[in-house]
Amino acid sequence: AGWIESFNDPALTALVMEAQTNNRDLAAAAANVDRSWALARQAGANLGADISLSRTASQTGGIGGSQPTSNSFGLGLQVSWEADVWGRLRSGERGAVASAQAAEADFRSAQQSLAAATAKAYFSAIEAIIQAGIVRETVEILEETLRIVNAKYDNGLASAQDVSLARSDLATARESLATIEGSQRDAVRALEALLGRYPGAELEVRDSLPEVPPAPPAGLPSELLERRPDIVAAERRVAAAFNATNQARAARLPTIGLTGNLGSASDSLSGLLESSNAAWTAGANLLAPIFDGGRRREAIEIATADQEQALAAYGQAAISAFSELETNLDQGVVLQQRIVELREAASEAQNAFRIAKLRYEEGEEELLNVLTIQQRAIGSTSSLSSVERLLLEQRVNLNLALGGSWDD
């Protein structure tokens, strides 16, 4: 997930590395890769010969000494090998290799998904800090407003209603601050859990969102989607399914086996190595299935259905990839437009609030209007922070949709 570095935030890069090192789900996916390759090697081993070494020893004699005791020793070497005339074993090996490659692609997909989840949790934690800062500033402004209203009330220049309004808004803001601070701790805990740490809400993150990486250039080649791990995994499962079908069909054909034995027998251990006591045999066998109750025929039907299922899944993965890419490209344009408008809205609302507050202090504006304008200013600033986070998440999702950075 090298595209994380495009955010130019060393702290984020370090967190992603930590998550990929410590995350338990990713460790399980890695173990599945090891298991899949072990199965592939096991399937490949079937193409080779089986060699066995045997050693026997026995002693016979009559009860009560009626017959003399005799010893017998044997040493044997057996070799067996199946001639893969129809490609059954080779198809099994190829299918197992394709399945292992699909497991590797799943692991890479899990890596990228974890990197994306870590980045999003990081951005959410930062935004929670920003939102808490906005609310704290609001609380300070409302405390100052209440002080002014109380002073005006004491001098007969404000009504009891104004005092109650100011107190109500201040209490509401304090309640919002308690809520957002709880959300901030929850966001940090979610990030710590991804990192494999104890979720104690103790991780410190920056108090400003990183810069948004540049948008991709126009005319990105659609071939970029072919590197997406989920697309690779789907394609490899198609290959595995085709090989499984070939394997099932070949299982209905005769199997040819070659065997060889080299052995020696003697009544003493020293005689086992004498050539006169050695013998060898070699043979070939052909085993043709005649009746199995339809088991092999149904195995072909099952493999064919699995093949059709894999093809359908591959096609759906390709459609989903194009849909995700187009959606994220369009969302990037929309979010950038929203940010431009929200910045202007926040600036104008702050200016309007500043004017309204001065007019109230001079007795030219109602307190209710001042508080209403203040809420609009707070809302615009809060929305701007949220959309800026969404634009960062859009860049993350776009990298996921492309299977990596568009600069790679």
Side-chain angles (χ1 to χ4, degrees):
W3 48 266
I4 284 292
E5 295 178 358
S6 66
F7 291 92
N8 197 27
D9 187 340
L12 172 59
T13 302
L15 290 175
V16 169
M17 293 291 291
E18 181 179 348
Q20 292 186 338
T21 300
N22 299 331
N23 186 268
R24 306 303 191 270
D25 291 335
L26 195 60
N32 186 53
V33 173
D34 293 339
R35 177 181 182 276
S36 297
W37 277 114
L39 289 172
R41 291 190 295 270
Q42 184 183 59
N46 293 328
L47 291 165
D50 285 339
I51 302 176
S52 303
L53 178 67
S54 63
R55 181 184 180 281
T56 61
S58 64
Q59 187 177 65
T60 59
I63 298 176
S66 61
Q67 294 182 359
T69 300
S70 63
N71 298 317
S72 176
F73 301 94
L75 182 66
L77 181 69
Q78 181 177 4
V79 180
S80 62
W81 176 68
E82 179 180 340
D84 192 27
V85 177
W86 320 113
R88 180 178 65 85
L89 299 179
R90 179 63 64 185
S91 294
E93 182 199 25
R94 289 171 178 169
V97 168
S99 295
Q101 291 168 337
E104 277 192 345
D106 288 336
F107 175 70
R108 291 196 299 272
S109 181
Q111 278 185 315
Q112 295 212 14
S113 296
L114 178 60
T118 302
K120 291 178 181 179
Y122 178 70
F123 299 148
S124 294
I126 293 173
E127 191 209 346
I129 293 174
I130 294 172
Q131 297 287 1
I134 293 172
V135 178
R136 286 192 193 95
E137 184 179 353
T138 301
V139 169
E140 292 174 0
I141 293 173
L142 287 172
E143 287 174 344
E144 175 64 16
T145 299
L146 180 58
R147 187 190 66 77
I148 294 172
V149 171
N150 281 328
K152 295 184 71 172
Y153 178 74
D154 292 340
N155 291 288
L157 300 176
S159 65
Q161 175 181 300
D162 287 346
V163 175
S164 295
L165 278 174
R167 288 176 176 172
S168 175
D169 274 18
L170 177 58
T172 300
R174 286 172 174 167
E175 184 273 336
S176 297
L177 180 59
T179 300
I180 194 64
E181 286 178 340
S183 298
Q184 177 183 334
R185 292 190 293 271
D186 290 343
V188 172
R189 288 191 187 98
L191 178 56
E192 289 171 332
L194 287 172
L195 299 176
R197 299 187 187 184
Y198 179 79
E202 298 176 351
L203 178 67
E204 294 185 3
V205 298
R206 57 189 288 175
D207 57 1
S208 62
L209 291 168
E211 292 292 327
V212 179
L220 288 175
S222 61
E223 287 80 4
L224 286 174
L225 297 179
E226 294 178 3
R227 65 182 181 175
R228 279 178 49 139
D230 58 335
I231 297 293
V232 174
E235 187 275 330
R236 289 289 80 201
R237 289 191 173 94
V238 170
F242 270 85
N243 280 288
T245 302
N246 293 336
Q247 186 179 20
R249 288 172 177 162
R252 302 190 70 183
L253 301 174
T255 59
I256 300 174
L258 303 176
T259 60
N261 289 280
L262 176 63
S264 176
S266 174
D267 56 2
S268 66
L269 284 173
S270 60
L272 285 176
L273 300 179
E274 295 180 4
S275 59
S276 59
N277 293 326
W280 62 270
T281 60
N285 62 77
L286 185 147
L287 180 64
I290 297 177
F291 178 76
D292 61 3
R295 178 172 58 84
R296 289 180 174 83
R297 183 181 66 251
E298 293 307 318
I300 296 176
E301 293 296 324
I302 293 171
T304 302
D306 290 341
Q307 177 181 309
E308 293 172 353
Q309 182 183 28
L311 282 168
Y314 181 45
Q316 186 58 48
I319 293 174
S320 297
F322 279 111
S323 176
E324 290 174 12
L325 178 59
E326 293 295 337
T327 298
N328 279 288
L329 288 172
D330 183 64
Q331 187 183 44
V333 175
V334 172
L335 290 172
Q336 286 175 331
Q337 291 176 344
R338 290 181 62 188
I339 286 175
V340 170
E341 301 301 333
L342 281 170
R343 282 175 178 168
E344 182 177 359
S347 176
E348 294 298 333
Q350 290 289 348
N351 189 48
F353 172 63
R354 181 181 59 81
I355 294 172
K357 185 178 178 182
L358 290 173
R359 287 172 56 85
Y360 174 75
E361 292 174 358
E362 295 174 359
E364 299 177 2
E365 188 69 77
E366 294 292 331
L367 178 61
L368 182 59
N369 291 337
V370 175
L371 296 176
T372 300
I373 294 173
Q374 183 192 34
Q375 291 303 315
R376 293 179 62 176
I378 294 169
S380 298
T381 304
S382 177
S383 296
L384 176 60
S385 176
S386 295
V387 175
E388 287 175 339
R389 174 186 57 81
L390 290 175
L391 185 58
L392 287 168
E393 291 189 357
Q394 181 268 340
R395 292 293 195 268
V396 171
N397 292 333
L398 186 56
N399 280 286
L400 283 180
L402 288 170
S405 172
W406 47 84
D407 295 327
D408 292 346

